[in-house]
């Protein structure tokens, strides 16, 4: 362990914050003790673990183990364990309450706030084909809000056990009041609904000018089904004082005469779903001015709230630009962005437009050059904007495009005189407020997809659906399993006690991944009628069974089952003394995750747990044989690794893709092989087989260089 921690720690040290890297914390362990008998800590191990980390890294150490703190050695950089708030689910009030009740002074971290776990309906932020899903943009909205809202970091929930109907009077909604306990000014009201039915509400909140019910002018707010909003109260954005905003805050850039992004002005972005009614109220140092619509098709209502405060009511649809003194409110739909020219302005943007904004920071100098958070450059447009830099008076933007886009670039006027995107100069125009605007066509890669039905399929006959090769020769009468592994162990190191005469756990014979094949040989008594087999393969696995060449049944799988017992009738009585083979093809869904350090759950076997032959007189299986990937633990493919293949005939021959970026080699030759496993006696067929293009993107990333891979050639010893 000590050598491993030193090696890993050295890599961490190179990239820790004290060396100009992004690493600010090191988690020493994860849920090491307390979850399994004997429910005690390994104090000596924990002491050595921390000492090893301390010897190589300089950052603070943290842990996700409440018991761990009891044995902490005197390490000044060790932080008390942050409260673990569950796997991704922070919606439950008791998590927040536990932190406040048990250890309120410790850091409050959500270590495992994952994309969708355990709420499958949410899904991940990035799709499997690497395109950005809507959730990505929602995360971006929240991340940018948090980055400019220090008051949120010092806020605490006030009504964690009494959220239903609070502040709204609508029992279908839950609202958590979160107040800044340090600045003692700003408040946030987080309203959410679990129902898919749209809910209307008003929000009654305490503000610096007294208690207000929002909307203050007329109408109501809306939460469209399963959604949530963060309503801000007494929010400070540079020199702009936001009394309240029902529209959510995206980001802001503060007024700074030397580095202001639009001369000497603040910038504040707010957003709401298209078609929603919202209000934003600003407080001024004197009598508020009259608001004026500068452009757009929308309209506003305004009302003086007293105490030098003015409320503006609007619909977040289309684009409407409103000026009120030194503040300009933008209510923006899908039209082009800006039309303003006054000192402080707010951009009211609907959600679809909010998704298009990117907040970036050019690198500075010193150890933290790449982690600058000052002087933001805000850009609208593009599929993904990755970075900005200022090089010799040129603002260099790098990113991805999937279509023609119109950029709106909000940057300090003194920062650059020209702009490039992915190295190509942009032709710039200007908006009335002095920001840049530029149109850029996407240089999409040329993609020509082959028509698979017209390709040459080896071992084929005439039509696509008939161009097949048998990938289960194991059920043919003349098939020899002489090179298979004989399953003859009578003992096992696995903690699961075998229920069969010989051990039929695949792992005991070196097969740990992919499909597993079993063959049981017996001589018939002539009275056998059925075969029952209990197979374990992991959640959602399946298996099929054959008597000689006849399919006698399958378990197609179910997400709720990791094992299953199937009983399959023989099609007819067998001839006494005749030789027969039972063949079982099973899924191997991987080994169980070891949820706690002292458990043996990961040792749960894959294979045949038990079996029975039925009849008035039944034979004994004389020999069981098993195979999986060629070579088992001594796998044949040293380049791609042992997890790349399983036990199907074609895999044992090495007839699989070369695994370039993604799956296919986009700039070279590919051989496509598809295995089809039919779980019914009638078999199955491919109605069609096509390659489909899901996205074309121009990217600033360097071309992918594939790792050197050996081409296919006949494998020595393959069977």
């Amino acid at each position: 362990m000590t050598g491993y921690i030193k090696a890993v720690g050295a890599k961490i040290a190179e990239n820790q914050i004290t060396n100009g890297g992004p690493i600010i914390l090191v988690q020493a362990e994860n849920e090491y003790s307390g979850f399994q008998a004997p429910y005690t800590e390994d104090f000596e191990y924990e002491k050595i673990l921390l000492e090893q980390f301390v010897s190589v890294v300089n950052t603070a150490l943290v842990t996700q183990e409440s018991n761990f703190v009891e044995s902490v050695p005197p390490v000044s950089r060790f932080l008390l364990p942050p409260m673990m708030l569950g796997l991704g689910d922070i919606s439950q009030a008791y998590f927040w309450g536990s932190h406040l009740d048990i250890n309120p002074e410790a850091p409050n971290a959500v270590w495992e706030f994952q994309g969708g776990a355990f709420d499958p309906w949410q899904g991940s932020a990035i799709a499997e084909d690497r395109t950005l899903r809507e959730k990505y943009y929602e995360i971006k909205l929240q991340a940018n809000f948090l980055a400019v809202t220090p008051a949120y970091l010092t806020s605490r929930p006030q009504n964690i056990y009494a959220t239903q109907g609070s502040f709204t009077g609508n029992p279908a909604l839950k609202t958590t009041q979160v107040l800044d306990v340090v600045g003692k000014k700003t408040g946030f009201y987080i309203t959410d609904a679990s129902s898919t039915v749209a809910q209307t509400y008003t929000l009654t909140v305490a503000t610096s000018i007294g208690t207000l019910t929002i909307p203050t002018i007329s109408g109501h707010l809306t939460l469209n089904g399963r959604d949530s909003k963060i309503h801000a109260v007494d929010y400070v954005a540079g020199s702009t004082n936001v009394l309240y905003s029902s529209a959510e805050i995206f980001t802001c850039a503060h007024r700074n005469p030397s580095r202001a992004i639009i001369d000497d002005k603040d910038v504040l972005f707010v957003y709401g779903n298209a078609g929603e009614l919202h209000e934003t109220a600003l407080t001024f140092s004197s009598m508020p001015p009259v608001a004026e619509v500068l452009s757009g098709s929308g309209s506003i209502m305004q009302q003086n709230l007293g105490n030098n405060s003015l409320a503006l009511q609007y619909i977040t649809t289309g684009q409407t630009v409103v000026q009120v003194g030194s503040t300009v409110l933008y209510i923006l739909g899908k039209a082009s962005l800006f039309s303003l020219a006054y000192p402080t302005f707010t951009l009211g943007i609907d959600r679809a437009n909010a998704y298009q904004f990117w907040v970036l920071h050019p690198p500075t100098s010193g150890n933290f050059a790449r982690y600058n958070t000052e002087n933001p450059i805000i850009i609208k447009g593009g599929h993904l904007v990755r970075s900005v830099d200022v090089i010799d008076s040129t603002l260099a933007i790098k990113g991805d495009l999937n279509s023609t886009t119109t950029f709106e670039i909000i940057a300090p006027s003194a920062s650059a005189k020209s702009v490039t995107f992915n190295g190509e100069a942009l032709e710039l125009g200007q908006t009335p407020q002095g920001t840049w605007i530029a149109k850029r066509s996407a240089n999409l890669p040329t993609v020509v997809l082959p028509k698979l039905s017209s390709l040459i399929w080896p071992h084929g006959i005439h039509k696509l659906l008939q161009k097949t090769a048998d990938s289960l020769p194991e059920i043919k009468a003349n098939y020899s399993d002489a090179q298979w592994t004989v399953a003859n162990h009578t003992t096992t190191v696995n903690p699961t006690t075998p229920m069969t005469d010989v051990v039929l756990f695949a792992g005991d014979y070196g097969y740990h991944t992919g499909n597993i094949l079993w063959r049981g040989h017996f001589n018939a008594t002539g009275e056998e009628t059925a075969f029952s087999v209990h197979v374990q393969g992991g959640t959602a696995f399946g298996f099929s069974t054959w008597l000689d060449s006849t399919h006698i049944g399958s378990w197609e799988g179910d997400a709720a089952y990791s094992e299953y017992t199937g009983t399959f009738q023989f099609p007819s009585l067998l001839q006494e003394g005749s030789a027969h083979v039972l063949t079982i093809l099973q899924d191997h869904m991987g080994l169980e995750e070891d949820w706690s350090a002292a458990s043996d759950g990961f040792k749960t076997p894959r294979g045949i747990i038990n079996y029975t032959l039925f009849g008035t007189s039944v034979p004994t299986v004389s020999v069981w044989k098993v195979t999986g990937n060629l070579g088992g633990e001594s796998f044949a493919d040293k380049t791609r690794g042992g997890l790349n293949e399983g036990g199907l005939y074609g895999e044992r021959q090495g007839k699989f893709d070369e695994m370039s970026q993604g799956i296919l080699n986009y700039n070279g030759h590919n051989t496509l092989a598809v295995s089809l496993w039919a779980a019914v006696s009638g078999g199955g067929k491919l109605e069609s087989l096509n390659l489909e293009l899901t996205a074309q993107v121009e990217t600033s990333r360097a071309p992918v260089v594939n790792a050197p891979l050996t081409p296919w050639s006949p494998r020595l010893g393959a069977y």
Side-chain angles (χ1 to χ4, degrees), residues 245-259:
S245 180
S246 66
E248 295 183 82
I249 294 170
F250 168 47
T251 190
C252 62
H254 301 167
R255 177 184 297 187
N256 183 332
S258 63
R259 295 292 298 173

Side-chain angles (χ1 to χ4, degrees), residues 110-444:
V110 188
W111 293 130
E112 301 183 15
F113 188 58
Q114 303 161 16
F118 285 117
D119 292 317
W121 65 269
Q122 293 183 12
S124 62
I126 301 176
E128 192 171 358
D129 65 357
R130 304 173 194 165
T131 54
L132 307 181
R133 300 178 68 243
E134 184 179 11
K135 187 171 184 178
Y136 175 92
Y137 296 100
E138 285 293 326
I139 292 173
K140 184 178 69 165
L141 293 181
Q142 295 177 33
N144 280 285
F145 163 67
L146 295 173
V148 297
T149 310
Y152 194 84
L153 302 180
T154 53
S155 294
R156 298 292 183 270
Q158 305 298 307
N159 63 323
I160 52 178
Y161 298 113
T163 60
Q164 187 169 357
S166 295
F167 305 100
T168 66
N170 184 341
L173 301 177
K174 294 180 180 180
T175 301
T176 303
Q177 182 190 47
V178 184
L179 300 180
D180 180 7
V181 298
V182 176
K184 299 186 181 301
K185 178 180 180 181
T186 304
F188 306 94
Y189 293 79
I190 305 173
T191 301
D192 68 88
S194 58
S195 171
T196 57
V197 178
Q199 299 292 329
T200 59
Y201 63 102
T202 59
L203 186 71
T204 301
V205 297
T207 75
S208 57
I209 69 168
T211 299
L212 298 174
T213 297
I214 306 167
T216 58
I217 299 176
S218 64
H220 53 257
L221 305 176
T222 303
L223 204 61
N224 287 296
R226 183 176 283 163
D227 200 356
S228 66
K229 295 185 187 298
I230 302 177
H231 305 299
V233 173
D234 290 314
Y235 183 90
V236 178
S239 61
T240 299
N241 294 308
V242 180
L243 179 64
Y244 65 80
S245 180
S246 66
E248 295 183 82
I249 294 170
F250 168 47
T251 190
C252 62
H254 301 167
R255 177 184 297 187
N256 183 332
S258 63
R259 295 292 298 173
I261 64 172
I262 302 179
D263 299 329
D264 187 14
K265 306 179 183 76
D266 284 342
V267 183
L268 174 67
F269 292 78
V270 299
Y271 63 93
N273 285 329
E276 291 180 344
L277 180 146
H278 282 289
E279 281 187 1
T280 297
L282 304 180
T283 297
F284 301 86
S285 58
S286 58
M287 181 67 68
V290 176
E292 175 188 1
V293 176
L294 299 180
S295 67
S297 58
S299 61
I300 64 164
M301 295 181 68
Q302 54 189 305
Q303 179 173 293
N304 195 321
L305 302 177
N307 300 98
N308 299 329
S309 299
L310 182 69
L312 301 178
Q313 188 177 98
Y314 48 86
I315 304 295
T316 50
T317 297
Q319 174 177 303
T320 304
V321 183
V322 181
Q323 179 184 335
V324 51
S326 59
T327 300
V328 175
L329 173 69
Y330 263 73
I331 306 163
L332 186 63
K334 294 186 178 180
S336 59
L337 180 57
F338 296 111
S339 179
L340 52 93
Y342 289 86
T344 303
F345 56 89
T346 301
L347 307 177
I349 55 182
D350 72 14
R351 217 180 205 95
N353 280 271
Y355 289 168
Q356 300 179 48
F357 283 86
W358 308 90
V359 182
L360 302 105
H361 302 84
T364 54
S365 58
N367 286 340
F368 313 115
R370 285 286 170 185
Y371 308 101
N372 169 43
T373 59
E374 301 296 325
N375 308 315
I377 291 175
I378 302 173
I379 299 172
K380 179 188 179 184
H383 175 66
L384 172 65
V385 178
R386 297 178 180 271
S387 66
V388 294
D389 203 349
V390 178
I391 304 172
D392 297 330
S393 297
T394 295
L395 176 63
I397 305 171
K398 291 184 178 181
D400 297 359
L401 296 181
N402 57 5
S403 63
T404 297
T405 191
T406 297
F407 288 114
E408 195 74 30
I409 304 163
I410 311 171
S413 57
S415 65
K417 303 302 180 184
S418 59
V419 180
T420 62
F421 181 80
N422 290 350
E424 180 181 312
L426 298 180
E427 185 177 340
L428 301 175
Q430 277 198 327
T431 61
Q433 76 281 0
T435 60
W436 283 317
I437 192 168
K439 188 174 183 179
R440 170 65 150 74
S441 298
N443 298 319
L444 299 178

Side-chain angles (χ1 to χ4, degrees), residues 417-561:
K417 303 302 180 184
S418 59
V419 180
T420 62
F421 181 80
N422 290 350
E424 180 181 312
L426 298 180
E427 185 177 340
L428 301 175
Q430 277 198 327
T431 61
Q433 76 281 0
T435 60
W436 283 317
I437 192 168
K439 188 174 183 179
R440 170 65 150 74
S441 298
N443 298 319
L444 299 178
T446 300
V447 179
V448 179
L449 297 180
K451 186 177 181 181
L452 298 185
S453 60
S454 65
L455 302 181
I456 298 174
W457 289 77
H459 308 292
I461 308 176
H462 300 293
K463 299 180 180 179
L464 169 64
L465 302 183
Q466 297 174 323
K467 293 179 178 178
T468 60
D470 188 357
S471 195
L472 195 67
E474 294 87 354
I475 63 173
K476 290 183 176 180
N478 60 351
Y479 181 80
S480 171
D481 57 20
Q483 293 180 266
W484 287 34
T485 302
V486 178
N488 59 1
H489 295 181
T490 56
T491 61
T492 178
V493 295
N494 195 292
T496 300
T497 302
M499 301 174 66
T500 51
D501 292 338
V502 293
V503 179
L504 298 179
F505 303 158
D508 280 46
Y509 302 99
Y511 301 112
H512 307 288
T513 63
N515 299 111
I516 306 296
L517 282 150
W518 301 91
R519 279 168 61 89
H521 296 256
F522 70 93
N523 290 324
T525 65
E527 298 180 5
E528 302 89 349
T529 59
F531 174 66
S532 177
V533 62
H534 177 184
V535 183
Q536 189 161 265
T539 302
F541 90 109
F543 69 91
S544 292
T545 307
W546 289 263
L547 173 63
D548 301 325
S549 298
T550 302
H551 176 256
I552 58 174
S554 295
W555 163 246
E556 296 182 15
D558 188 302
Y561 294 89

